[in-house]
Amino acid sequence: MSAPDWIALDWGTSRLRAWAMRRDGTVIEAREAERGMGGLAPDSFEPALRETCGDWLGEGVPVIACGMVGARQGWVEAGYARVPCAPLSAALTAAPGRLDAWIVPGLSQADPADVMRGEETQIAGFLALNPGWDGVLCLPGSHSKWAHLSAGEVVSFRSFMTGELFAALSRHTVLRHSVEAEGWDEAAFDEGVAETLSRPERLASALFTIRAEDLLRGRDAAAARARLSGLLIGAELAAAKPYWLGQQIGVIGAGGLASLYVRALGTQGAPATQANGTAATLAGLTAAWKQRTQA
């Protein structure tokens, strides 16, 4: 393998994703490791990086990282730029140690109070891949984000704990007995979305019907799991409606979860374009690297 010109890192809570990069933003090699921020002390980040991609770390090879690596509990706190602003801060945060490593700061919002870390890089990458794009981006995940973009800036954003709620309800409540399945039922998902999108105040009651239908009717567990997802996403869409209604919409993410948001929005006559999350992350990290080299 040829020596990389720089190294891109997406360093989250549970995993480290790394790419050896060329100057033009193309990938030479990709690696992953279960060395996330959640299991590392601040002085363990550099050893973990050397363990994962030490053969890439030639003299003077710069490293650009995004994600929870820049959290208060991470390698070094990278702070937040306050919206409205460009998704990429003009100044990256230097990581401590012997490496030429830099971390992308997150974004914050004063009222209502909100923060994002990692998503700002995907937003920057989406804009790099779609110059001049204005509208609303949805970034599904444990903490879904809805961001309003105009003239190359993030104007405002809102976070929703939908993914974390799904995990907690399906694993740690009475619903766990009814949703233990890997299958899927699209009709049940659509019904759940429609129910809470139109009447979000009924969410808490609608959730318990999942258990009751199982006990009284023996409802299929795959349908129950899909209904749970639909109820939660429907409630999120109801709350985020001021963002997406009448707007151009992009959904960033690969695979099933992002496609569920696209499907749910489509039922409301709100077509959304799905963008690959890894491609957006790499484009954003490339933009940050170019910004750093030109500083």
Side-chain angles (χ1 to χ4, degrees), residues 184-205:
W184 195 254
D185 187 312
E186 290 186 346
F189 172 79
D190 291 343
E191 290 169 4
V193 169
E195 183 172 349
T196 50
L197 211 162
S198 61
R199 300 297 299 271
E201 73 276 11
R202 294 185 178 179
L203 174 61
S205 176

Side-chain angles (χ1 to χ4, degrees), residues 229-243:
S229 178
L231 290 172
L232 293 173
I233 290 177
E236 178 184 328
L237 292 186
K241 199 169 186 177
Y243 271 82

Side-chain angles (χ1 to χ4, degrees), residues 46-281:
E46 183 174 331
L49 178 55
R50 290 186 181 278
E51 177 185 318
T52 304
C53 36
D55 56 322
W56 297 349
L57 293 167
E59 184 176 355
V61 175
V63 177
I64 306 295
C66 70
M68 294 305 290
V69 64
R72 187 169 298 174
Q73 301 80 17
W75 196 353
V76 63
E77 186 172 10
Y80 299 100
R82 181 171 293 186
V83 299
C85 63
L88 287 182
S89 172
L92 305 184
T93 299
R98 295 168 293 170
L99 298 175
D100 183 18
W102 301 85
I103 300 173
V104 179
L107 297 182
S108 70
Q109 180 173 272
D111 187 21
D114 213 332
V115 295
M116 70 167 68
R117 191 175 293 285
E119 293 90 355
E120 77 294 320
T121 303
Q122 289 192 316
I123 293 171
F126 182 91
L127 289 176
L129 295 170
N130 301 275
W133 193 90
D134 285 351
V136 170
L137 286 181
C138 172
L139 299 97
S142 295
H143 304 149
S144 299
K145 310 289 183 183
W146 290 82
H148 176 207
L149 276 60
S150 179
E153 291 190 336
V154 178
V155 179
S156 64
F157 66 97
R158 294 300 304 269
S159 300
F160 297 84
M161 292 179 61
T162 304
E164 193 165 351
L165 284 172
F166 180 88
L169 289 167
S170 62
R171 298 171 188 169
H172 304 294
T173 73
V174 68
L175 298 185
R176 71 186 186 278
H177 303 298
S178 301
V179 299
E180 295 177 336
E182 295 300 324
W184 195 254
D185 187 312
E186 290 186 346
F189 172 79
D190 291 343
E191 290 169 4
V193 169
E195 183 172 349
T196 50
L197 211 162
S198 61
R199 300 297 299 271
E201 73 276 11
R202 294 185 178 179
L203 174 61
S205 176
L207 288 171
F208 191 75
T209 64
I210 295 173
R211 181 59 179 158
E213 288 176 344
D214 179 20
L215 293 172
L216 298 178
R217 304 174 192 169
R219 186 166 189 177
D220 179 72
R225 188 174 184 84
R227 175 169 166 76
L228 172 59
S229 178
L231 290 172
L232 293 173
I233 290 177
E236 178 184 328
L237 292 186
K241 199 169 186 177
Y243 271 82
W244 56 262
L245 187 64
Q247 294 284 339
Q248 182 173 216
I249 307 169
V251 179
I252 298 180
L257 182 59
S259 65
L260 290 179
Y261 278 78
V262 172
R263 180 182 179 90
L265 286 163
T267 66
Q268 302 304 304
T273 300
Q274 186 173 343
N276 182 278
T278 298
T281 297

